[in-house]
Amino acid sequence: MSNELSFAVIGCGFWAQYQIAAWQELAGVKLVAVCDQSDERAQQTAKKFGVSNYYTDAKNMLEQESLDFVDIITTIETHQKFTQLAARHQLPAICQKPFAPDLDTARQMIMAHRAAGVPLFVHENFRWQAPIRRVKSILDSGEIGEAFKGRVTFTSAFPVFDNQPNLAELDKFILADVGSHTLDMVRFLFGEAVNLRCLTQRVNPNIAGEDVANVLLEMESGVHCYAEMSYASVLEKEVFPHTLLLVEGSKGSVRLDHNYRITVTNREGSYRKVATPKKYDWANPDYALVHSSMVDINKNFLTALQNGTKPETTAADNYRTLQLVYECYRSAKMKQVITLEEPIFS
Ligand code: 89Y
């Protein structure tokens, strides 16, 4: 008897093309149907990945197909509709980040899945990047002592709207789109935050939302963390889609540069490690680092679905990342430090 899990994808846009390829790297899971509001896109995607069934209506697909889970790879405004549809069919769902447009909606989505008794996960992949995992293991090893300061940098002038034109129309842009990654990495590396102050700017006059955000967070551990993100930074070295890190601790420091280089320094000197991600021929070279991490996050989801365990990025966990994102907007608007509320989901 095969233990292979069958799944369907809702949304066949830019990211789905790579997310599906990442699933196809894994044994024990099979894509059986795809759905997109564009018939042509659904058909092309089905053909590209050797899937026989394609749909333009997700409800119809979930009624027709026998599925173990669904991967929702659509834009933010549709996430509640599709996760609730999955919950009504008692189907575990994976939802693209940022998973909800506000915290109320996020709460409703989590509650709907809990009521249905099936898990809801969030495809939050940046923490799965090989160099980020390596830095985390260096921090956990105690090699640089107790961390007291962290800098998490995502600054670029990459023409991001060419591949994802809808991002230019969002009232909430960089904090929701990139901040959901950056602030999740802050949590992954340094734990939970107790308060934050955020400043935002819009430098590019042709987009609706903010393209610069600078956040200072005080962490429960006492670490001071500075998270900076920008799509308006014309720098000597364009490093998209790399996140750069600098962590200072009581015995030393660790720095992550572009090209996966990690420099560890203590009072004796410095040495280098390189944390190169696995290469896949289907990856888009501009996004190879991110695309590689999708295989690892999908594997984490698959293991959880097979064993009934929790992956790292459940919706309840990601609620806390989303809380940071939306409290950043509130801080920027009110020009105030925001104290974070206690977690509401375990
Ligand atoms: O949408 C974003 C993401 O998830 O990673 C980078 C990106 O494609 C553009 O900011």
Side-chain angles (χ1 to χ4, degrees):
M1 197 179 80
S2 155
N3 289 329
E4 196 168 61
L5 297 189
S6 298
F7 78 106
V9 159
I10 303 179
C12 297
F14 176 69
W15 280 107
Q17 305 305 315
Y18 304 103
Q19 233 160 275
I20 295 174
W23 278 117
Q24 293 192 334
E25 292 292 330
L26 302 176
V29 64
K30 186 170 185 210
L31 179 64
V32 296
V34 298
C35 172
D36 194 278
Q37 57 189 357
S38 148
D39 185 76
E40 196 189 343
R41 218 163 34 203
Q43 188 175 1
Q44 276 171 0
T45 306
K47 190 165 169 223
K48 177 171 167 189
F49 293 103
V51 177
S52 41
N53 297 344
Y54 65 90
Y55 298 80
T56 52
D57 180 40
K59 187 167 170 280
N60 188 14
M61 176 169 78
L62 297 203
E63 279 161 8
Q64 301 298 318
E65 299 289 334
S66 167
L67 300 170
D68 294 303
F69 71 97
V70 61
D71 195 0
I72 299 162
I73 318 176
T74 58
T75 47
I76 186 167
E77 71 285 354
T78 63
H79 289 169
Q80 184 174 30
K81 174 172 93 179
F82 290 134
T83 57
Q84 286 188 347
L85 180 68
R88 278 201 294 280
H89 284 78
Q90 243 117 48
L91 268 184
I94 301 167
C95 183
Q96 197 66 1
K97 52 59 66 172
F99 86 93
D102 53 65
L103 292 173
D104 264 354
T105 308
R107 272 193 291 270
Q108 287 168 25
M109 289 163 70
I110 293 171
M111 295 314 289
H113 265 256
R114 286 200 171 176
V118 284
L120 176 61
F121 306 151
V122 177
H123 185 99
E124 174 44 72
N125 53 36
F126 269 42
R127 62 161 71 197
W128 285 96
Q129 290 172 14
I132 303 292
R133 307 294 286 190
R134 186 70 76 84
V135 169
K136 169 76 168 152
S137 70
I138 293 169
L139 297 182
D140 289 348
S141 75
E143 207 176 333
I144 68 156
E146 279 294 307
F148 63 87
K149 197 166 98 184
R151 192 171 75 207
V152 181
T153 300
F154 185 101
T155 49
S156 167
F158 183 78
V160 67
F161 309 109
D162 291 357
N163 289 327
Q164 295 169 270
N166 78 303
L167 295 178
E169 289 155 28
L170 300 177
D171 289 339
K172 293 186 171 76
F173 169 44
I174 204 164
L175 277 165
D177 177 56
V178 169
S180 53
H181 293 312
T182 311
L183 296 165
D184 189 66
M185 284 184 287
V186 165
R187 293 184 52 236
F188 176 64
L189 295 169
F190 307 115
E192 303 301 339
V194 285
N195 62 58
L196 61 80
R197 173 73 169 101
C198 174
L199 299 174
T200 59
Q201 280 172 288
R202 182 179 52 190
V203 176
N204 180 344
N206 302 319
I207 64 170
E210 82 291 350
D211 52 1
V212 176
N214 294 300
V215 192
L216 185 61
L217 304 103
E218 183 181 356
M219 310 305 291
E220 267 169 22
S221 61
V223 171
H224 295 179
C225 187
Y226 174 50
E228 52 176 341
M229 54 213 96
S230 159
Y231 270 123
S233 299
V234 183
L235 303 170
E236 183 188 7
K237 181 79 195 153
E238 173 56 67
V239 300
F240 178 90
H242 291 253
T243 302
L244 310 183
L245 300 174
L246 176 63
V247 186
E248 296 173 47
S250 51
K251 291 196 211 154
S253 62
V254 53
R255 193 181 75 224
L256 170 62
D257 290 316
H258 70 280
N259 296 344
Y260 322 119
R261 288 232 182 116
I262 296 171
T263 309
V264 182
T265 300
N266 58 33
R267 291 184 198 280
E268 274 73 61
S270 296
Y271 70 93
R272 286 230 170 107
K273 298 171 184 240
V274 183
T276 313
K278 195 164 173 200
K279 289 193 174 61
Y280 296 98
D281 55 10
W282 47 263
N284 176 326
D286 284 340
Y287 298 79
L289 170 66
V290 180
H291 290 168
S292 181
S293 72
M294 290 172 168
V295 178
D296 298 308
I297 188 172
N298 285 351
K299 194 167 177 194
N300 188 241
F301 290 143
L302 182 60
T303 307
L305 290 166
Q306 283 164 335
N307 303 333
T309 52
K310 276 191 188 175
E312 285 191 20
T313 55
T314 59
D317 176 83
N318 197 259
Y319 181 86
R320 298 193 76 169
T321 295
L322 219 52
Q323 203 177 13
L324 296 183
V325 169
Y326 292 116
E327 292 297 45
C328 277
Y329 282 110
R330 200 152 70 91
S331 169
K333 189 168 172 204
M334 296 172 71
K335 300 187 190 308
Q336 274 179 15
V337 174
I338 304 285
T339 301
L340 293 150
E341 279 175 18
E342 289 299 307
I344 54 167
F345 294 109
S346 54

